Amino acid sequence: MGAFPKSIHFIGTNTPRRVEMSVRNLEVEGEIPAEIDGAFFRAVPDNANAPMFEDDIALNADGMVARFNITGNQVDYDIKYVETERYLAEKEARRALFGQYRNPFTDDPSVKGKDRTLANTTPVWHGGRLFMTKEDGRGYEVNPHTLETIGAWDYFGALKSETFTAHPRIDDETGEMFFFGYEADGLCSLEVAYGIADKDGKLTSEQWFKQPYCSTIHDFCITEKYAIFPIYPTTADIDRLKEGGAHWAHQQDLECWVGIMPRYGKVEEMRWFKGPKGVSAFHFINAFDDGELVHMDVCLSDTNAFQFMREAGGVERHQMDVKGALTRWTFDMSKPGDSFESRDLGPPGDLPRLPDADQGRPYRRAWYLSMNPEGGPPMPGGPVGANFNAIIRIEPGNGRISMMGVPPGAGVSEPAFVPSADPENGGWLLSVVDQPNGPDPSNYLSELWVMEADNVEKGPIAKVKLNMPLRSQVHGTWVARAKLDTSVQKA
Ligand code: V55
Ligand code: FE
C-alpha cells in the first residue's frame, strides 16, 4: 500500500505527520513559572511508511520520541523516530514489512524473527536512563539529550523476559522500579515476569508466574507492601493469529481477576481475587494499603475501550456508548476468600496522572482526562479514535472534583505533573491541546498548555504555540533538569 487509509486511525489527530524536527524558542503566550525547568518527553506513534493493510490501527505506528525542553519562558521542541530493529529494516526497504498489530504471521517473510516492537507507548526515566517502551517487547534506550536511539534494553543481559510493560511503577522514596512483562517467553504464553530494578537501574529480581488466561496486562500497581496484577478478559489466541486474525478479542462473558502478592515476596504467595465479567481497564491512578486493606483506583469501563478489540470478540458497541467510572476496588488481605468491594469515586475517564511522590501511598489528589458534556462532539484521533476534551482534578479522599474543559471541538492529551519545591504551591500540569483550524478534522493547531495543578478550572496560565498540528501522543513523562543532568548518556 502506498497511501494511508482514511479510517479513524489516520485522520484527525491521528493524521500521519512523519516529520523529525527541531524547533528552537517556541512562541509563548503568558509566563511559564521559572520552577518549570526540565523536559516533557512524549511517546508519539507516527507511521514512517504507509501500512501493509487497509485496516491498520494507530497502536501499530512507529514510535517517535518527542521532547519539550523548558527553561522558564524558553521552550524548544524536538521529535525523532525511535530506531528500533523494525524501523531500520523498513527504512532500508523503503516500505512497510511488518503487517498487522502484534501478528507476526502477517509479516513479509524477509523479516521473520526480527524484533517487532515499536517502542511507541511511554517514555520511562529510571536509573539515569530514558527508555521508550511498548508492552510487546523490551524497552529501547534513547539518549535524552540528542534523542538518538541506543538500543534494546536488557539490563546488561540479565533480563530474561522478552517483554517489558509500558507502565512500570517507581517508588519515589526507594527509587526502585517495579515492572512486569506478559507473554514473557513468546506469543500467547501465559508467563508473566515480575521484576524489580534498584535506584541505580540494576535488575535485582525477576520471577515468573502464570496468569489465569492470556490477557493484555497493560498496567499494574504497587503499594508499600504489595504488587497488584489486574487481569481483564481481553484475550489472545495463537490459532487466530496464525489465521491472520487479531491479537486481542474482548470476551464480555469472562470474569476478571486480580492477583496480589507482597511486593518483595515470592510469586508463589500470589492471592487471586475474582471480579465482574466483561469489564476492562487500561490504567490505574494508584494503589495504597493500610496493612490489611488494599485500595486500587481503576479507570474502569464496562467493556473494552478499543473498538478493534471489541469487534474481534463480537462485542457490538458504539464508542460513545462505552460506560464506566473511576472506581475504587478494595481488597481485605486479612480475610480469606476471593471477593472484593467496589465503589464509584468519580466520572468516567482515563489517562490518569499522579504526583511521583505519591506512588503506592495514600494520595490527596490526582488528575485524569474525561469528556465535558458541554464540549460538543469529540475531536477525532488519539489511541481510541476520539479525543478527551477535559482534565479532571479529583481528591479521592472526599470526592471533590474540579475540571478544565478545552474549547469546543478541541482535544487534550495526558498531562504531565511538575512539582514545586514550595509546600504552599501545588505544582503545575503540562498538556498538549489540539484546536480545530477550519472544518477539516486533520487541520488543527497544537499547543502546550501550562496549568496550576490545584486550580485547573482557571485554565492555562501559559500557552506554547507550535503553529502546526502534531500527531497524538499516548503517554508522556516529566524529567526535572536536576535528573537530566545526572543522565548516563551525555549530550
Ligand atoms: C495501549 C497502547 C498501545 C498498545 C496497547 O493505550 C495498549 C493503550 C500505543 O500502543 O500497544
Ligand atoms: Fe497506557
Side-chain angles (χ1 to χ4, degrees):
M1 191 186 290
F4 288 96
K6 286 292 167 209
S7 68
I8 57 159
H9 299 280
F10 297 95
I11 63 160
T13 63
N14 287 335
T15 304
R17 304 295 170 190
R18 315 171 63 214
V19 180
E20 296 186 314
M21 63 179 162
S22 296
V23 191
R24 300 279 85 89
N25 302 317
L26 291 168
E27 189 184 342
V28 180
E29 248 180 49
E31 269 319 301
I32 301 178
E35 238 190 304
I36 303 182
D37 187 9
F40 177 21
F41 292 102
R42 300 158 62 240
V44 179
D46 199 348
N47 309 70
N49 301 279
M52 281 173 72
F53 295 95
E54 186 71 31
D55 58 351
D56 197 50
I57 61 170
L59 307 187
N60 201 30
D62 300 278
M64 297 189 86
V65 53
R67 179 188 61 209
F68 287 99
N69 200 352
I70 308 177
T71 315
N73 255 29
Q74 212 156 16
V75 185
D76 296 338
Y77 180 73
D78 295 271
I79 182 165
K80 205 169 179 18
Y81 276 107
V82 185
E83 297 191 346
T84 58
E85 193 176 350
R86 170 171 173 163
Y87 170 84
L88 292 173
E90 293 185 338
K91 185 179 180 189
E92 191 172 310
R94 300 180 68 96
R95 66 182 177 92
L97 299 169
F98 292 80
Q100 299 277 12
Y101 177 67
R102 301 188 64 177
N103 188 342
F105 302 104
T106 61
D107 293 347
D108 186 284
S110 67
V111 295
K112 195 173 159 66
K114 280 203 197 291
D115 186 4
R116 296 187 94 253
T117 194
L118 293 150
N120 70 1
T121 311
T122 313
V124 172
W125 181 272
H126 188 248
R129 295 176 201 268
L130 178 67
F131 306 103
M132 286 288 286
T133 59
K134 185 179 184 73
E135 64 197 52
D136 68 347
R138 288 175 176 163
Y140 269 74
E141 189 187 358
V142 168
N143 182 315
H145 309 289
T146 64
L147 305 188
E148 277 160 8
T149 301
I150 293 150
W153 181 248
D154 65 3
Y155 290 94
F156 308 103
L159 186 69
K160 295 196 177 58
S161 179
E162 294 170 15
T163 61
F164 186 98
T165 178
H167 290 285
R169 298 271 176 177
I170 296 168
D171 184 317
D172 203 52
E173 260 180 56
T174 69
E176 293 161 304
M177 178 162 72
F178 300 82
F179 68 90
F180 65 93
Y182 70 89
E183 298 187 38
D185 62 348
L187 275 186
C188 303
S189 153
L190 293 177
E191 295 291 341
V192 182
Y194 168 47
I196 307 175
D198 69 15
K199 64 174 182 8
D200 303 317
K202 212 173 107 259
L203 187 69
T204 56
S205 155
E206 181 181 0
Q207 309 177 66
W208 288 32
F209 66 92
K210 283 189 171 58
Q211 54 163 327
Y213 45 73
C214 185
S215 79
T216 166
I217 317 180
H218 185 67
D219 189 3
F220 86 137
C221 277
I222 55 156
T223 71
E224 288 170 276
K225 275 200 171 144
Y226 298 102
I228 310 171
F229 299 89
I231 312 293
Y232 297 102
T234 302
T235 62
D237 179 83
I238 192 73
D239 293 325
R240 187 169 64 231
L241 287 178
K242 286 180 178 163
E243 286 158 17
H247 195 114
W248 298 121
H250 191 65
Q251 303 202 42
Q252 204 63 43
D253 299 324
L254 202 57
E255 60 280 315
C256 65
W257 293 91
V258 181
I260 305 184
M261 62 174 275
R263 79 178 199 185
Y264 299 113
K266 297 258 179 291
V267 290
E268 290 75 23
E269 296 170 81
M270 189 84 75
R271 242 184 96 176
W272 286 102
F273 295 85
K274 194 192 235 181
K277 289 181 178 173
V279 298
S280 173
F282 282 86
H283 303 112
F284 314 102
I285 296 185
N286 196 14
F288 56 95
D289 72 80
D290 69 1
E292 290 181 348
L293 294 183
V294 176
H295 306 283
M296 180 176 67
D297 295 344
V298 184
C299 298
L300 192 70
S301 51
D302 63 349
T303 185
N304 194 297
F306 287 94
Q307 170 82 17
F308 74 93
M309 299 191 198
R310 293 197 298 276
E311 247 168 41
V315 182
E316 282 179 36
R317 190 89 75 88
H318 189 272
Q319 196 63 31
M320 291 300 119
D321 297 328
V322 175
K323 301 281 180 274
L326 176 65
T327 305
R328 175 162 292 180
W329 282 359
T330 299
F331 307 85
D332 190 341
M333 303 304 286
S334 74
K335 296 210 173 81
D338 65 1
S339 63
F340 58 88
E341 305 273 307
S342 175
R343 71 181 172 91
D344 286 4
L345 271 192
D350 203 353
L351 300 173
R353 177 61 62 186
L354 176 80
D356 290 344
D358 294 338
Q359 186 67 254
R361 297 185 165 77
Y363 64 109
R364 197 169 59 77
R365 56 196 178 130
W367 302 266
Y368 62 102
L369 301 185
S370 191
M371 288 316 285
N372 172 14
E374 271 121 62
M379 184 177 209
V384 304
N387 282 290
F388 290 105
N389 65 7
I391 297 181
I392 283 182
R393 177 185 182 276
I394 186 163
E395 297 185 8
N398 56 31
R400 197 171 296 147
I401 279 171
S402 50
M403 188 185 85
M404 179 193 80
V406 295
V412 60
S413 50
E414 181 187 83
F417 175 74
V418 183
S420 169
D422 174 1
E424 300 294 307
N425 184 325
W428 300 273
L429 299 182
L430 307 175
S431 182
V432 171
V433 174
D434 300 315
Q435 299 191 72
N437 186 27
D440 175 358
S442 299
N443 187 0
Y444 54 91
L445 296 174
S446 300
E447 297 176 342
L448 177 70
W449 285 18
V450 182
M451 279 72 63
E452 292 177 5
D454 282 344
N455 299 296
V456 293
E457 67 287 350
K458 263 176 59 179
I461 58 168
K463 292 178 180 177
V464 181
K465 307 227 163 187
L466 274 301
N467 297 313
M468 63 184 144
L470 300 179
R471 190 163 172 168
S472 276
Q473 73 174 63
V474 185
H475 298 293
T477 194
W478 171 254
V479 183
R481 186 75 50 203
K483 272 192 189 173
L484 280 172
D485 288 346
T486 66
S487 69
V488 172
Q489 304 296 339
K490 298 303 165 202

mmCIF file of all heavy atoms in Angstrom, residues 121-122 167 218 282-283 474-475, ligand 2:
data_model
loop_
_atom_site.group_PDB
_atom_site.id
_atom_site.type_symbol
_atom_site.label_atom_id
_atom_site.label_comp_id
_atom_site.label_asym_id
_atom_site.label_seq_id
_atom_site.Cartn_x
_atom_site.Cartn_y
_atom_site.Cartn_z
ATOM 1 N N THR A 121 4.812 3.715 23.255
ATOM 2 C CA THR A 121 3.738 3.922 24.246
ATOM 3 C C THR A 121 4.089 4.882 25.396
ATOM 4 O O THR A 121 3.312 5.781 25.680
ATOM 5 C CB THR A 121 3.258 2.567 24.801
ATOM 6 O OG1 THR A 121 3.001 1.677 23.713
ATOM 7 C CG2 THR A 121 2.008 2.714 25.619
ATOM 8 N N THR A 122 5.214 4.646 26.078
ATOM 9 C CA THR A 122 5.551 5.503 27.223
ATOM 10 C C THR A 122 7.047 5.769 27.302
ATOM 11 O O THR A 122 7.840 4.820 27.234
ATOM 12 C CB THR A 122 5.153 4.832 28.564
ATOM 13 O OG1 THR A 122 3.819 4.324 28.478
ATOM 14 C CG2 THR A 122 5.227 5.808 29.725
ATOM 15 N N HIS A 167 4.038 0.436 31.537
ATOM 16 C CA HIS A 167 3.628 1.055 32.801
ATOM 17 C C HIS A 167 4.331 0.463 34.017
ATOM 18 O O HIS A 167 3.697 -0.145 34.879
ATOM 19 C CB HIS A 167 2.107 0.970 32.968
ATOM 20 C CG HIS A 167 1.382 1.852 32.018
ATOM 21 N ND1 HIS A 167 1.312 3.223 32.178
ATOM 22 C CD2 HIS A 167 0.729 1.590 30.864
ATOM 23 C CE1 HIS A 167 0.643 3.747 31.173
ATOM 24 N NE2 HIS A 167 0.279 2.777 30.361
ATOM 25 N N HIS A 218 -2.021 -4.262 30.718
ATOM 26 C CA HIS A 218 -1.439 -3.001 30.251
ATOM 27 C C HIS A 218 -0.751 -2.234 31.375
ATOM 28 O O HIS A 218 0.252 -1.570 31.154
ATOM 29 C CB HIS A 218 -2.526 -2.147 29.602
ATOM 30 C CG HIS A 218 -1.987 -0.901 28.997
ATOM 31 N ND1 HIS A 218 -1.157 -0.922 27.895
ATOM 32 C CD2 HIS A 218 -2.115 0.407 29.342
ATOM 33 C CE1 HIS A 218 -0.803 0.322 27.589
ATOM 34 N NE2 HIS A 218 -1.374 1.142 28.453
ATOM 35 N N PHE A 282 -7.464 -0.015 31.310
ATOM 36 C CA PHE A 282 -6.084 0.056 30.826
ATOM 37 C C PHE A 282 -5.173 0.717 31.846
ATOM 38 O O PHE A 282 -3.994 0.416 31.887
ATOM 39 C CB PHE A 282 -6.030 0.763 29.462
ATOM 40 C CG PHE A 282 -6.454 -0.164 28.363
ATOM 41 C CD1 PHE A 282 -7.794 -0.312 28.034
ATOM 42 C CD2 PHE A 282 -5.524 -0.951 27.718
ATOM 43 C CE1 PHE A 282 -8.187 -1.219 27.056
ATOM 44 C CE2 PHE A 282 -5.906 -1.856 26.747
ATOM 45 C CZ PHE A 282 -7.239 -1.997 26.411
ATOM 46 N N HIS A 283 -5.736 1.632 32.662
ATOM 47 C CA HIS A 283 -4.868 2.396 33.576
ATOM 48 C C HIS A 283 -5.456 2.514 34.976
ATOM 49 O O HIS A 283 -6.674 2.538 35.143
ATOM 50 C CB HIS A 283 -4.635 3.799 33.005
ATOM 51 C CG HIS A 283 -4.048 3.768 31.632
ATOM 52 N ND1 HIS A 283 -4.726 4.167 30.528
ATOM 53 C CD2 HIS A 283 -2.835 3.336 31.197
ATOM 54 C CE1 HIS A 283 -3.976 4.005 29.461
ATOM 55 N NE2 HIS A 283 -2.816 3.493 29.825
ATOM 56 N N VAL A 474 0.661 9.104 23.108
ATOM 57 C CA VAL A 474 -0.004 8.169 24.018
ATOM 58 C C VAL A 474 0.297 8.681 25.436
ATOM 59 O O VAL A 474 -0.477 9.445 25.998
ATOM 60 C CB VAL A 474 0.435 6.716 23.792
ATOM 61 C CG1 VAL A 474 -0.377 5.783 24.693
ATOM 62 C CG2 VAL A 474 0.236 6.318 22.332
ATOM 63 N N HIS A 475 1.471 8.310 25.981
ATOM 64 C CA HIS A 475 1.830 8.786 27.320
ATOM 65 C C HIS A 475 3.041 9.705 27.261
ATOM 66 O O HIS A 475 3.782 9.720 26.277
ATOM 67 C CB HIS A 475 2.145 7.602 28.225
ATOM 68 C CG HIS A 475 0.992 6.680 28.411
ATOM 69 N ND1 HIS A 475 -0.150 7.045 29.086
ATOM 70 C CD2 HIS A 475 0.787 5.410 27.994
ATOM 71 C CE1 HIS A 475 -0.992 6.028 29.085
ATOM 72 N NE2 HIS A 475 -0.451 5.023 28.427
HETATM 73 FE FE FE B 2 -1.054 3.087 28.807
#
